Coordinates of all heavy atoms in Angstrom, one line a residue:
Chain L
Y108 N -103.1 65.1 206.0 CA -102.9 64.2 204.8 C -103.4 64.8 203.5 O -102.9 64.6 202.5 CB -103.5 62.8 205.1 CG -102.4 61.9 205.4 CD1 -102.0 61.7 206.7 CD2 -101.8 61.1 204.4 CE1 -100.9 60.9 207.0 CE2 -100.8 60.3 204.7 CZ -100.3 60.1 206.0 OH -99.3 59.3 206.3
L109 N -104.5 65.5 203.7 CA -105.1 66.1 202.5 C -104.1 67.1 201.9 O -103.9 67.2 200.7 CB -106.4 66.9 202.9 CG -107.7 66.4 202.4 CD1 -107.8 65.0 201.9 CD2 -108.8 66.6 203.5
N110 N -103.4 67.8 202.8 CA -102.3 68.7 202.3 C -101.1 68.0 201.7 O -100.6 68.4 200.7 CB -101.9 69.6 203.5 CG -102.8 70.8 203.6 OD1 -103.1 71.5 202.7 ND2 -103.4 71.0 204.8
I111 N -100.8 66.8 202.3 CA -99.7 66.0 201.7 C -100.2 65.5 200.3 O -99.4 65.6 199.4 CB -99.4 64.9 202.6 CG1 -98.7 65.4 203.9 CG2 -98.5 63.9 201.9 CD1 -98.4 64.3 204.9
F112 N -101.4 65.1 200.2 CA -101.9 64.7 198.9 C -101.8 65.8 197.9 O -101.4 65.5 196.8 CB -103.4 64.3 199.0 CG -103.6 63.0 199.7 CD1 -104.9 62.6 200.1 CD2 -102.6 62.1 200.0 CE1 -105.2 61.4 200.7 CE2 -102.8 60.8 200.6 CZ -104.1 60.5 201.0
R113 N -102.1 67.0 198.4 CA -101.9 68.1 197.4 C -100.5 68.3 197.1 O -100.1 68.6 195.9 CB -102.5 69.4 198.1 CG -102.3 70.6 197.2 CD -103.3 71.7 197.4 NE -103.2 72.2 198.8 CZ -103.7 73.4 199.1 NH1 -104.2 74.2 198.2 NH2 -103.6 73.9 200.3
E114 N -99.6 68.2 198.0 CA -98.2 68.4 197.7 C -97.7 67.3 196.8 O -96.8 67.5 195.9 CB -97.3 68.4 199.0 CG -97.6 69.6 199.9 CD -96.7 69.7 201.1 OE1 -95.8 68.8 201.2 OE2 -96.8 70.7 201.8
M115 N -98.2 66.1 197.0 CA -97.9 65.0 196.1 C -98.5 65.2 194.7 O -98.2 64.4 193.8 CB -98.4 63.7 196.7 CG -97.7 63.3 198.0 SD -96.2 62.4 197.6 CE -95.8 61.8 199.2
R116 N -99.3 66.1 194.6 CA -100.0 66.4 193.3 C -100.8 65.1 192.8 O -100.7 64.8 191.6 CB -99.0 66.8 192.2 CG -98.2 68.0 192.6 CD -99.1 69.3 192.6 NE -98.3 70.5 192.7 CZ -98.1 71.1 193.9 NH1 -98.5 70.7 195.0 NH2 -97.4 72.3 193.9
V117 N -101.5 64.5 193.8 CA -102.3 63.4 193.4 C -103.4 63.8 192.3 O -103.8 65.0 192.3 CB -103.1 62.8 194.6 CG1 -102.1 62.2 195.6 CG2 -104.0 63.8 195.2
D118 N -103.8 62.9 191.5 CA -104.7 63.3 190.4 C -106.1 63.4 191.0 O -107.0 64.0 190.4 CB -104.7 62.2 189.3 CG -103.3 62.2 188.6 OD1 -102.6 63.2 188.7 OD2 -103.0 61.2 187.9
G119 N -106.4 62.7 192.1 CA -107.7 62.7 192.7 C -107.7 62.2 194.1 O -106.7 61.6 194.5
I120 N -108.8 62.4 194.8 CA -108.9 62.0 196.2 C -110.2 61.3 196.5 O -111.2 61.8 196.0 CB -108.7 63.2 197.1 CG1 -107.3 63.8 197.0 CG2 -109.0 62.8 198.6 CD1 -107.0 65.0 197.9
I121 N -110.2 60.2 197.2 CA -111.4 59.6 197.7 C -111.4 59.6 199.2 O -110.5 59.2 199.8 CB -111.5 58.1 197.2 CG1 -111.6 58.1 195.7 CG2 -112.7 57.4 197.8 CD1 -111.6 56.6 195.1
I122 N -112.5 60.1 199.7 CA -112.6 60.2 201.2 C -113.8 59.3 201.6 O -114.9 59.3 201.0 CB -112.9 61.7 201.6 CG1 -111.8 62.6 201.1 CG2 -113.1 61.8 203.1 CD1 -112.0 64.1 201.5
M123 N -113.5 58.6 202.7 CA -114.6 57.7 203.2 C -114.9 58.0 204.6 O -115.2 57.1 205.4 CB -114.1 56.2 203.1 CG -113.8 55.8 201.8 SD -113.7 54.0 201.7 CE -112.1 53.8 200.9
H124 N -114.7 59.3 204.9 CA -114.9 59.7 206.3 C -116.0 60.8 206.4 O -115.9 61.7 205.6 CB -113.6 60.2 206.9 CG -113.6 60.5 208.3 ND1 -113.0 61.6 208.9 CD2 -114.2 59.9 209.3 CE1 -113.2 61.6 210.2 NE2 -114.0 60.6 210.5
E125 N -116.9 60.6 207.3 CA -118.0 61.6 207.2 C -118.0 62.7 208.1 O -118.8 63.6 208.1 CB -119.4 60.8 207.3 CG -119.6 60.1 208.6 CD -121.0 59.5 208.7 OE1 -121.8 60.0 207.9 OE2 -121.2 58.6 209.6
K126 N -117.0 62.8 209.0 CA -116.8 63.9 209.9 C -116.3 65.1 209.1 O -115.6 64.9 208.1 CB -116.0 63.6 211.1 CG -116.6 62.6 212.0 CD -116.0 62.7 213.4 CE -116.7 61.7 214.3 NZ -116.8 60.4 213.8
S127 N -116.5 66.3 209.6 CA -116.0 67.4 208.8 C -115.6 68.6 209.8 O -115.9 68.5 211.0 CB -117.0 67.9 207.8 OG -116.5 68.8 207.0
S128 N -115.0 69.6 209.2 CA -114.6 70.8 210.0 C -114.5 71.9 209.0 O -114.4 71.7 207.8 CB -113.3 70.6 210.7 OG -112.3 70.5 209.7
P129 N -114.6 73.1 209.4 CA -114.4 74.3 208.5 C -113.2 74.2 207.7 O -113.2 74.5 206.5 CB -114.4 75.5 209.4 CG -115.1 75.0 210.7 CD -114.7 73.6 210.8
E130 N -112.1 73.8 208.3 CA -110.8 73.7 207.5 C -110.9 72.7 206.4 O -110.4 72.9 205.3 CB -109.6 73.4 208.4 CG -109.3 74.4 209.5 CD -110.2 74.4 210.7 OE1 -111.0 73.4 210.8 OE2 -110.1 75.3 211.5
L131 N -111.5 71.6 206.8 CA -111.7 70.5 205.8 C -112.5 70.9 204.6 O -112.2 70.7 203.5 CB -112.3 69.3 206.5 CG -111.9 67.9 206.0 CD1 -112.1 66.9 207.0 CD2 -112.7 67.6 204.8
L132 N -113.6 71.6 205.0 CA -114.6 72.0 204.0 C -113.8 73.0 203.1 O -114.0 73.0 201.8 CB -115.7 72.8 204.7 CG -117.1 72.7 204.0 CD1 -117.5 71.2 203.8 CD2 -118.1 73.4 204.8
S133 N -113.1 73.9 203.6 CA -112.4 74.9 202.9 C -111.4 74.2 201.9 O -111.2 74.6 200.8 CB -111.6 75.9 203.8 OG -110.6 76.5 203.2
F134 N -110.7 73.2 202.4 CA -109.8 72.4 201.6 C -110.4 71.8 200.4 O -110.0 72.0 199.2 CB -109.1 71.3 202.4 CG -108.1 70.6 201.5 CD1 -106.7 70.9 201.6 CD2 -108.5 69.5 200.7 CE1 -105.8 70.2 200.7 CE2 -107.6 68.9 199.9 CZ -106.3 69.2 199.9
I135 N -111.5 71.1 200.6 CA -112.2 70.4 199.5 C -112.7 71.4 198.5 O -112.8 71.2 197.3 CB -113.2 69.4 199.9 CG1 -114.4 70.0 200.5 CG2 -112.7 68.3 200.8 CD1 -115.6 69.0 200.7
Q136 N -113.1 72.6 199.0 CA -113.6 73.6 198.1 C -112.6 74.3 197.3 O -112.8 74.8 196.2 CB -114.5 74.6 198.9 CG -115.8 74.0 199.3 CD -116.5 74.8 200.4 OE1 -117.6 74.6 200.7 NE2 -115.7 75.7 201.1
N137 N -111.4 74.4 197.8 CA -110.4 75.2 197.2 C -109.2 74.5 196.6 O -108.3 75.1 195.9 CB -109.8 76.3 198.2 CG -111.0 77.2 198.7 OD1 -111.8 77.6 197.9 ND2 -110.9 77.4 200.0
S138 N -109.1 73.2 196.8 CA -107.8 72.5 196.5 C -107.6 72.5 194.9 O -106.5 72.4 194.4 CB -107.8 71.1 197.0 OG -108.7 70.3 196.3
G139 N -108.8 72.4 194.2 CA -108.7 72.3 192.8 C -108.4 70.8 192.3 O -108.3 70.5 191.2
I140 N -108.4 69.9 193.3 CA -108.2 68.5 193.0 C -109.6 67.8 193.0 O -110.4 68.1 193.8 CB -107.4 67.9 194.1 CG1 -106.0 68.6 194.3 CG2 -107.1 66.4 193.7 CD1 -105.2 68.1 195.5
P141 N -109.8 67.0 192.0 CA -111.1 66.2 192.0 C -111.2 65.4 193.3 O -110.3 64.6 193.6 CB -110.9 65.3 190.8 CG -109.9 66.0 189.9 CD -109.0 66.7 190.8
I142 N -112.3 65.6 194.0 CA -112.5 64.9 195.2 C -113.9 64.2 195.2 O -114.8 64.8 194.7 CB -112.5 65.9 196.4 CG1 -111.1 66.4 196.6 CG2 -112.9 65.2 197.7 CD1 -110.9 67.5 197.7
L143 N -113.9 63.0 195.7 CA -115.1 62.2 195.7 C -115.3 61.6 197.1 O -114.3 61.1 197.7 CB -115.0 61.2 194.6 CG -116.2 60.2 194.4 CD1 -116.3 59.8 193.0 CD2 -116.0 58.9 195.2
Y144 N -116.5 61.6 197.6 CA -116.8 60.9 198.8 C -117.4 59.6 198.5 O -118.3 59.5 197.7 CB -117.8 61.7 199.6 CG -117.1 62.8 200.5 CD1 -116.7 64.0 200.0 CD2 -116.9 62.5 201.9 CE1 -116.0 64.9 200.7 CE2 -116.2 63.5 202.7 CZ -115.8 64.6 202.1 OH -115.1 65.6 202.8
S145 N -116.9 58.6 199.1 CA -117.4 57.2 198.9 C -118.0 56.6 200.1 O -117.3 56.6 201.2 CB -116.2 56.3 198.4 OG -116.6 55.0 198.1
S146 N -119.2 56.1 200.0 CA -119.9 55.4 201.1 C -120.4 56.3 202.1 O -121.2 55.9 203.0 CB -119.1 54.3 201.7 OG -118.3 54.8 202.7
V147 N -120.0 57.6 202.1 CA -120.6 58.6 203.0 C -121.0 59.8 202.2 O -120.4 60.1 201.1 CB -119.6 59.0 204.1 CG1 -119.3 57.8 205.0 CG2 -118.3 59.5 203.5
K148 N -121.9 60.5 202.7 CA -122.4 61.8 202.1 C -121.3 62.9 202.3 O -120.8 63.0 203.4 CB -123.7 62.2 202.7 CG -124.4 63.3 202.0 CD -125.3 62.8 200.9 CE -126.0 64.1 200.2 NZ -124.9 64.8 199.4
S149 N -121.0 63.6 201.2 CA -120.1 64.7 201.4 C -120.7 65.8 202.2 O -121.8 66.1 202.1 CB -119.7 65.2 200.0 OG -120.4 66.3 199.6
P150 N -119.8 66.4 203.0 CA -120.3 67.5 203.8 C -120.8 68.7 203.0 O -121.6 69.5 203.5 CB -119.1 67.9 204.7 CG -117.9 67.3 203.9 CD -118.4 66.1 203.2
D151 N -120.2 68.9 201.8 CA -120.7 70.0 200.9 C -121.5 69.3 199.8 O -121.0 68.5 199.1 CB -119.5 70.7 200.4 CG -119.9 71.8 199.4 OD1 -121.0 71.7 198.9 OD2 -119.1 72.7 199.2

Side-chain angles (χ1 to χ4, degrees):
Chain L
Y108 257 87
L109 249 14
N110 277 306
I111 291 179
F112 285 168
R113 176 153 64 156
E114 295 188 355
M115 290 278 190
R116 303 294 190 260
V117 298
D118 294 342
I120 294 176
I121 293 179
I122 300 178
M123 301 194 229
H124 185 218
E125 60 175 345
K126 292 201 178 50
S127 190
S128 67
E130 293 82 8
L131 210 157
L132 211 59
S133 156
F134 180 96
I135 66 170
Q136 286 165 166
N137 303 318
S138 74
I140 305 171
I142 294 179
L143 177 149
Y144 274 78
S145 182
S146 85
V147 295
K148 187 89 183 69
S149 96
D151 179 335

